[in-house]
Structure formats: C-alpha cells, structure tokens
Amino acid sequence: MAGGGGAERVRAGGLLPPACCQPRRRESRERLSVCSKLCYAVGGAPYQITGCALGFFLQIYLLDVAQLDPFYASIILFVGRAWDAVTDPMVGFFISKTSWTRFGRLMPWIIFSTPFAVISYFLIWFVPDISRGQVMWYLIFYCIFQTLVTCFHVPYSALTMFISREQSERDSATAYRMTVEVLGTVLGTAIQGQIVGKVITPCIESPVFIGKPNSSVAMEELNMTHDTGSLTDTRNAYMIAAGVIGGLYILCAVILSVGVREKRESSELQSDEPVSFFRGLKLVMNHGAYIKLIAGFLFTSLAFMLLEGNFALFCTYTLGFRNAFQNILLAIMLSATLTIPFWQWFLTRFGKKTAVYVGISSAIPFLIMVAVLDSNIIVTYVVAIAAGISVAAAFLLPWSMLPDVIDDFKLQHPDSHGHEAIFFSFYVFFTKFTSGVSLGISTLSLDFAGYQTRGCSQPSEVNVTLKMLVSAVPVVLILLGLLLFKLYPIDEEKRRKNKKALQDLREDSNSSSESDNTELASIV
C-alpha cells in the first residue's frame, strides 16, 4: 500500500501536473521583458558606432593624419570593404558548423571576438613610427577588425531567431534594436566628431591652384608647412576617440551577454550535429521570397549609402555649410532615432510592405528639393529631418522582414534546421557589397570630375557630380527597389497564415511530447 500510494503521489504531484502546466509556462516564456529587449538592442550599438566612425573619418585620417598617398589610401578602403563583405558568409559557414554549448551556439562568438576587435580597432587609429610599411599596417589591422566585428555582428543578427518564436516579440525586439543602432550612429558621429573636431586642421585656402594641372603639387608643398605639434595633437585626438569607442564596445558586449539568453527551443534545434552549410546555402538561395527581398533592399540600400557617403561633401562644397555639417548629420540621425517607434507602430497597423512603400519613398521629394533649390540652411535641415525618417524605415524594415522569410522557409523545409546564420550573413554580405559599390562609384565619379583634396572649394563639375550622387541617382535606385518589392510574396495575409501554420506544428509537437510524458507517468 505504501508503495502504491507513493507511486500515486509521484504520478499526481511529480509528473502529471508539470505536463499539464507545461504549455502555460511555455507561453509565458514566449513573452520578452523590456529589460531583455533593451539588453538585446544594446548589442547592436558596437557595429554601428565603429562603422559610423570608420565610414566618416577613416579616409580623412589616412590622407591628412597618417599622410598616406591617396592611391594607397584607396587600396586600403577598397580591400577592407571587399574583405568585410567576404567574411560574412565565411563566418556564417563556421557558425553553422558550431555545436551547441551551455552558453548557446551564437553567444560564444560574440564574447570571444570582443576583446580582440577592440584592440585591432584602436591600432587602426594609431600612426606607427615607421618609414615603410604603414600601408600594410593599416591594411592588416583594418581587415582584422572587419573580420572580428563580423564575428560579433553576424551571430548577433541571427540571434533574433533565438530569443523568441513569436513574430510580434521578434518585431518588437527588432524595433528596440534599430532604435539603439541608429542612436549608435549618433554616438559614433558625436564622439569622433567632437573629440577630433577640436584639433582638425582647417582646409587649405588655395583658389589659385584649383582647376590647374599642378594644383596637387602646390597643395602638397603647402602641406609641408603645417606645424608638427598640431599634427601630433590630431593623432592623439583620434586615439582618444578610439579608446572611448572601444570602451563602449566592451560595455555593450557585456550587457548583451549578461542580459540575453539564447533559447534553444526557439530555433527548433533538436540535434547537436552541425548542419550542412552548402546544402543549406543551396536551399536558402533557391528560396524565392529571400531573393526578392534581398534584391529590393539591394537597390534601396545602395541609394541611402550613396547619400550617406557623399552628404558631407555635398554640404561642405555644394551648399557651402562647412561649419554646419556635424549639426546637419546629427539632425538626420536624431530624426531617424525618434521615428523608429513610429515605423514599428506603422508596420504593425498597416503591414510591412506598405511601410516599405511609404517609408522609403518619402525621401524622394526632399532629395529632389535639396538639389533643385538654391542653398538654404533651413531647407537643408528640413531635408535632413525628412531623410532621417526614411533612414529609420530603411534601418528597421529589412531586419523586421527577414524573420518572416525564415518562417516561410521553415514551413517549406520543416526538416531543415539551423540555417538562420546563412540568411542573416548573406543579407549583411549584400549590404556591405552595396557599400563597396557606392564607395567605388563616388570615388571614381569625383576623381573624373576633378576633385581637389583638402581644398576649401571645388570645380563646378564636382558640385554637379555631388548633386547627382545625393539626388538623382538615389531617387532612381529607390524607384527600382520599390518596383522589385512588388514581387515580394509575403504580405500580411501570407504572414498570418504562416504564423498559424507554425503554431499548429508547435502544438502538434507539444502534444506529442505531453503524450510521451503521460505514458512515462503511467509506467512509473
């Protein structure tokens, strides 16, 4: 009797109630707390802070502070961007081969790459006291940093699929992340700009040489008269800024690793065996919804990167607002930061495809306005704010729509798991590819137009080229991207059907698991 009563108590108090209550506890775990979302969002800041600082200041630093030849500086920038794009699928491959650990499958990549990334980032902004080998110094450490920051960013991007199975929770976490990432661009611009801006050498007043064949020689002779002490102060300012940004990088990585837990059940991983990368890559690249989404954002990303890369030159030379450039840039980024919650509400209320059309196309009239109208500081700020609104949509929507594509892929390939890193790494690869294309287009176009390095003014051909790069070309690219989005098959109705189908699959899996538990309880 004692044994039978004990078995009955075990069945009633030890096995059956947990099985009965299991769905409720699982449902409660699907809800992400605000703290978890904030910790997850903070992890996106290092990539944006360092990327913004490098994007706006590395070229000037190599030319004016490290004093490299423009040809070698161009090699460093092009090779660094190309290597940065190549590392994304490489890291995605190695992540797909990574087994599950007690820290997760993605988090170890983030943790162990952080200290080495900070060291290499600092060495990029250090001028070595060597007469030869400076080009290799910057090329090596630039490529090393790009590799290490990829080891951080690709698994972090894929982490979206591992924090929750609920689309609404992932979308909400993505909105938090995009807000912090846009704020990261503000921090990167503000930290680097404010620290370095106090000691940056002013432009060279040489209107006599502008447009003449030997102008570069004359300007080089003027450069030799610069005070060595001021150059040392400039180098120190760059290293101080690198130290501050490196500290923020480490802080964000610590907050992410402590505040976010990678949930294995969210990714539906049932085996420790690594998936086949090449088989997964073939499946991913044959998924029509993914290809159409990437194609659309390829053109829109190229448009905004052209605008980003040339807006400083446009404000400085074409509009004549050299001293107001930093404020105009901050207006763009602050506008983007403040409007991301609005776009999160908009895509929830009206759908993601509608948000794409409205959000990205809203920049077109303002881009035309800034090129057509005469130079006016008020109009420029209006355009900056409007551009920030579209930048927010361009930031948020790709990361919000990629999980929908992955869910659609899971329904079509229910037995194929662990390909999330491939989806995200190749999207980042294509994004960085467009960044390299925009850099090449801008550099070659300005070179053909007769751009004069460090001049206080530029030939009229350069001003016309800058207008094309920040207005006409981005408008055409945006229109092409929006046309491609017409082919994107996942609308709100399809998304709801996919969500219901995935829930049905999970309920079937849960009911099967509960039946096994009940049978085990009966045996006991």
Side-chain angles (χ1 to χ4, degrees):
M1 292 293 293
E8 197 70 20
R9 283 193 300 272
V10 169
R11 187 189 312 171
L15 290 176
L16 290 181
C20 297
C21 297
Q22 186 176 359
R24 182 172 299 177
R25 288 204 301 269
R26 182 181 291 111
E27 181 179 355
S28 65
R29 287 199 301 267
E30 292 298 332
R31 302 289 298 178
L32 294 175
S33 65
V34 174
C35 181
S36 297
K37 294 177 184 178
L38 287 174
C39 291
Y40 167 73
V42 166
Y47 180 77
Q48 298 299 334
I49 294 175
T50 56
C52 188
L54 289 169
F56 283 111
F57 293 94
L58 183 59
Q59 187 175 25
I60 299 175
Y61 168 81
L62 294 175
L63 293 173
D64 296 347
V65 181
Q67 297 182 334
L68 297 181
D69 185 271
F71 173 75
Y72 294 116
S74 299
I75 291 178
I76 293 171
L77 293 172
F78 275 107
V79 173
R81 293 292 184 94
W83 176 252
D84 187 22
V86 170
T87 55
D88 289 286
M90 289 174 57
V91 171
F93 169 77
F94 288 116
I95 290 176
S96 69
K97 295 291 184 181
T98 303
S99 300
W100 193 270
T101 68
R102 65 190 184 95
F103 298 105
R105 193 175 70 165
L106 303 175
M107 199 63 73
W109 286 82
I110 296 173
I111 295 173
F112 292 113
S113 66
T114 294
F116 302 103
V118 171
I119 294 173
S120 60
Y121 179 79
F122 182 82
L123 292 177
I124 292 174
W125 304 104
F126 174 76
V127 180
D129 189 16
I130 52 178
S131 58
R132 295 183 179 181
Q134 278 193 344
V135 174
M136 292 304 300
W137 172 281
Y138 291 112
L139 182 60
I140 290 173
F141 283 110
Y142 188 34
C143 291
I144 290 176
F145 172 74
Q146 296 291 11
T147 303
L148 292 169
V149 79
T150 299
C151 292
F152 183 104
H153 188 63
V154 169
Y156 170 74
S157 300
L159 191 62
T160 307
M161 298 300 299
F162 291 78
I163 58 177
S164 178
R165 289 183 298 190
E166 290 293 327
Q167 290 180 349
S168 59
E169 291 300 304
R170 294 198 304 250
D171 289 344
S172 177
T174 300
Y176 278 80
R177 170 192 169 185
M178 292 301 107
T179 302
V180 173
E181 286 195 355
V182 176
L183 184 61
T185 62
V186 177
L187 283 175
T189 305
I191 293 172
Q192 193 87 0
Q194 294 301 319
I195 294 177
V196 175
K198 295 180 181 180
V199 292
I200 286 182
T201 305
C203 66
I204 299 173
E205 294 285 353
S206 54
V208 175
F209 303 115
I210 297 297
K212 294 187 178 182
N214 60 347
S215 60
S216 60
V217 176
M219 296 180 77
E220 183 177 355
E221 293 175 355
L222 286 176
N223 289 340
M224 299 298 294
T225 65
H226 284 178
D227 181 62
T228 306
S230 64
L231 182 60
T232 302
D233 293 338
T234 303
R235 292 175 176 177
N236 291 336
Y238 272 99
M239 287 190 290
I240 292 172
V244 173
I245 291 176
L248 287 176
Y249 194 117
I250 295 175
L251 178 63
C252 293
V254 170
I255 293 174
L256 173 66
S257 60
V258 172
V260 177
R261 286 293 175 265
E262 191 177 340
K263 300 177 181 179
R264 190 175 189 182
E265 67 268 17
S266 299
S267 62
E268 301 292 340
L269 289 177
Q270 303 296 331
S271 174
D272 288 332
E273 296 181 1
V275 297
S276 171
F277 174 82
F278 293 104
R279 179 176 177 273
L281 178 61
K282 182 178 179 181
L283 291 173
V284 168
M285 290 304 167
N286 287 331
H287 191 59
Y290 180 68
I291 297 301
K292 292 169 184 175
L293 182 70
I294 292 298
F297 279 118
L298 189 68
F299 284 95
T300 57
S301 297
L302 179 57
F304 283 103
M305 287 178 182
L306 279 173
L307 179 63
E308 177 190 19
N310 296 280
F311 196 72
L313 295 174
F314 179 73
C315 290
T316 301
Y317 297 114
T318 305
L319 299 181
F321 301 140
R322 176 182 296 273
N323 296 328
F325 155 66
Q326 293 182 352
N327 296 330
I328 296 172
L329 182 62
L330 287 176
I332 295 176
M333 296 307 173
L334 287 175
S335 172
T337 304
L338 295 175
T339 51
I340 277 187
F342 165 76
W343 287 118
Q344 172 62 23
W345 168 84
F346 189 94
L347 67 86
T348 303
R349 177 67 177 83
F350 299 101
K352 297 180 182 180
K353 287 189 71 172
T354 304
V356 168
Y357 294 129
V358 175
I360 296 180
S361 64
S362 62
I364 292 178
F366 297 97
L367 293 177
I368 297 174
M369 182 188 304
V370 75
V372 173
L373 299 180
D374 294 333
S375 176
N376 186 292
I377 189 66
I378 297 178
V379 173
T380 304
Y381 273 108
V382 171
V383 172
I385 294 173
I389 296 174
S390 289
V391 167
F395 259 78
L396 173 64
L397 289 168
W399 302 108
S400 180
M401 297 170 77
L402 270 174
D404 299 335
V405 173
I406 296 175
D407 286 342
D408 185 70
F409 177 85
K410 286 182 177 180
L411 286 175
Q412 296 186 24
H413 306 278
D415 297 327
S416 184
H417 303 297
H419 304 308
E420 292 84 359
I422 299 176
F423 278 96
F424 286 97
S425 64
F426 272 87
Y427 170 72
V428 176
F429 166 79
F430 287 120
T431 303
K432 292 179 179 179
F433 173 77
T434 59
S435 175
V437 170
S438 66
L439 179 63
I441 292 175
S442 302
T443 305
L444 291 176
S445 300
L446 293 175
D447 184 48
F448 291 150
Y451 179 81
Q452 302 294 331
T453 304
R454 299 186 64 190
C456 288
S457 60
Q458 296 292 339
S460 59
E461 292 83 359
V462 173
N463 294 327
V464 173
T465 303
L466 287 171
K467 284 186 177 183
M468 296 291 292
L469 291 173
V470 302
S471 179
V473 177
V475 168
V476 173
L477 291 172
I478 287 174
L479 292 175
L480 289 174
L482 294 179
L483 287 176
L484 289 173
F485 276 117
K486 295 288 290 183
L487 304 175
Y488 179 65
I490 303 178
D491 53 14
E492 289 305 297
E493 181 180 358
K494 178 71 176 294
R495 196 165 70 93
R496 284 191 293 267
K497 289 180 179 179
N498 288 349
K499 179 180 179 180
K500 185 178 184 304
L502 285 174
Q503 288 176 345
D504 292 340
L505 287 176
R506 288 163 185 158
E507 289 174 1
D508 292 341
S509 177
N510 293 338
S511 62
S512 175
S513 177
E514 291 168 15
S515 298
D516 294 340
N517 289 337
T518 304
E519 183 178 355
L520 176 61
S522 301
I523 294 174
V524 173

